[in-house]
Amino acid sequence: MYPNRKTTLVATALLTAAALVSGCAPGPSTGSGPSPAGCPDTLARAGAAVRQAENTDTSWRGPTSGPAAVPGRTVVYVAQTMTNPGVAGVAKGVEEAAKAIGWQVRVIDGEGTPAGIQAALSQAVTLKPAGIVIGGFDPRLTSQQMARAGAARIPVIGWHAVSSPGPSEHPRLFTNITTKVEDVARISADWIIARSGGDAGVVLFTDDSIPFAKNKAELIQRELATCSGVRVLSYENIPIPDASSRTPQAVSSLLSRFPDEWTYSAAINDLYFADAAPALRAAGKPGSGPPFNIGAGDGDTSAFQRINGKQFQAATVPEPLNEQGWQIVDEFNRAFAGRPASGYVAPVHIATAENSDGATSWDPSGYREAYRKIWGT
């Protein structure tokens, strides 16, 4: 239905104009779908947002001032699981930045289970480091260990630990490093809306055991619902540690249930598409799609390889993982110097085969030089 359109001719003209404005005419990234399906205003907005997010001509927008390097510190990075490429990518960035500032880093793997994460954080507190990183898990799972860290006055910084970037009181974090989950979710859904021309059957992969991921999935659903022609066919709740064993079976089932309707997918983490690929390949689906798959984080190396090779993933909304590792070190340096958190939040970006230029990560320029200048190293 098109309210306030009195003739089919007028409606068709308006919809065609909306598709052109939004980038929904046929093209490599935002317009290979059919005619708009009843959401011309949403298409126009989504197309403009996608074009901006796909821009690779960016400059450093983060901090340019702060305290000089506080010497001789040790930081412990507690990982939810090092099999999560995003968690591992940030750990690598922390190690690189620590070397630049002259600190030591130890990584402890929680191995993806509540007991393992609790044990890892307990070990971290026992080591009495200058700071602890919560790498990709909910601190509420480790309330006793967090209380011990607080009692020992060890500053804790989160990466994807709570839903919002910045300082947190409950749980107590000096700051939490993440792009804004609302922005990541919205642009992921907008890519589907724009690329499909407002006509898509979507499968959503998530892990509801992680509040951050559950919230992201719900936000993606909400944004998809702004276009009446986009339908969520299935909400697949698969814990990340179980993804390799459960995703192939889930994909086979989905292909049986929705052989033609399933045209797009979104996942809260790219790794689901690594596990989906064998089942899609076995079913004879083309690597270039459909389904056209977008990862709403984290943009690890394997995701870029799938995207560049057009192998069952078309896009990702990558976190600048290495940059965020450097930001974590800078935020600790501010904490050690008695200064507040920087407040910097990286903007969202969409990587596709058309704009990645063969890269295997989203690694914006300028941050290394900026942080080294701040630290005086």
Side-chain angles (χ1 to χ4, degrees), residues 96-146:
E96 181 184 284
K99 183 177 181 180
I101 203 173
W103 296 351
Q104 299 295 316
V105 175
R106 179 167 178 177
V107 177
I108 304 177
D109 191 349
E111 300 181 346
T113 67
I117 292 168
Q118 290 165 4
L121 186 53
S122 181
Q123 182 183 354
V125 176
T126 300
L127 292 171
K128 298 181 179 179
I132 295 174
V133 184
I134 300 295
F137 61 88
D138 183 358
R140 290 174 294 184
L141 294 172
T142 57
S143 56
Q144 293 182 357
Q145 292 80 13
M146 288 290 291

Side-chain angles (χ1 to χ4, degrees), residues 50-299:
V50 168
R51 286 196 302 275
Q52 181 176 351
E54 288 180 339
N55 182 22
T56 58
D57 184 16
T58 60
S59 58
W60 175 241
R61 302 178 188 176
T64 55
S65 62
V70 176
R73 300 302 169 104
T74 297
V75 171
V76 175
Y77 184 97
V78 181
Q80 179 246 355
T81 171
M82 289 294 282
T83 63
N84 181 326
V87 171
V90 175
K92 181 180 178 182
V94 170
E95 291 174 329
E96 181 184 284
K99 183 177 181 180
I101 203 173
W103 296 351
Q104 299 295 316
V105 175
R106 179 167 178 177
V107 177
I108 304 177
D109 191 349
E111 300 181 346
T113 67
I117 292 168
Q118 290 165 4
L121 186 53
S122 181
Q123 182 183 354
V125 176
T126 300
L127 292 171
K128 298 181 179 179
I132 295 174
V133 184
I134 300 295
F137 61 88
D138 183 358
R140 290 174 294 184
L141 294 172
T142 57
S143 56
Q144 293 182 357
Q145 292 80 13
M146 288 290 291
R148 286 178 55 205
R153 297 190 176 183
I154 301 172
V156 178
I157 289 178
W159 180 81
H160 285 205
V162 294
S163 61
S164 299
S168 171
E169 286 296 325
H170 304 289
R172 183 173 291 279
L173 301 173
F174 179 75
T175 194
N176 181 56
I177 308 300
T178 179
T179 48
K180 291 182 179 179
V181 66
E182 297 88 353
D183 293 345
V184 173
R186 184 180 303 113
I187 202 65
S188 302
D190 284 348
W191 181 87
I192 291 174
I193 292 169
R195 195 187 189 287
S196 70
D199 184 5
V202 184
V203 171
L204 184 55
F205 295 92
T206 186
D207 180 352
D208 281 354
S209 71
I210 304 173
F212 183 92
K214 184 175 186 291
N215 182 43
K216 185 191 292 186
E218 291 172 347
L219 290 168
I220 291 172
Q221 280 190 298
R222 190 178 307 167
E223 180 68 9
L224 291 172
T226 64
C227 184
S228 60
V230 176
R231 307 159 305 284
V232 175
L233 303 174
S234 184
Y235 183 101
E236 296 293 319
N237 176 24
I238 302 174
I240 285 175
D242 300 335
S244 61
S245 61
R246 290 180 52 182
T247 303
Q249 182 179 355
V251 168
S252 296
S253 175
L254 289 162
L255 289 170
S256 297
R257 292 164 58 198
F258 309 109
D260 300 316
E261 300 94 329
W262 180 13
T263 55
Y264 285 81
S265 309
I268 56 91
N269 190 298
D270 295 298
L271 63 82
Y272 288 99
F273 299 128
D275 300 319
L280 291 169
R281 188 177 293 110
K285 292 292 183 178
S288 57
F292 303 100
N293 301 321
I294 183 168
D298 294 314

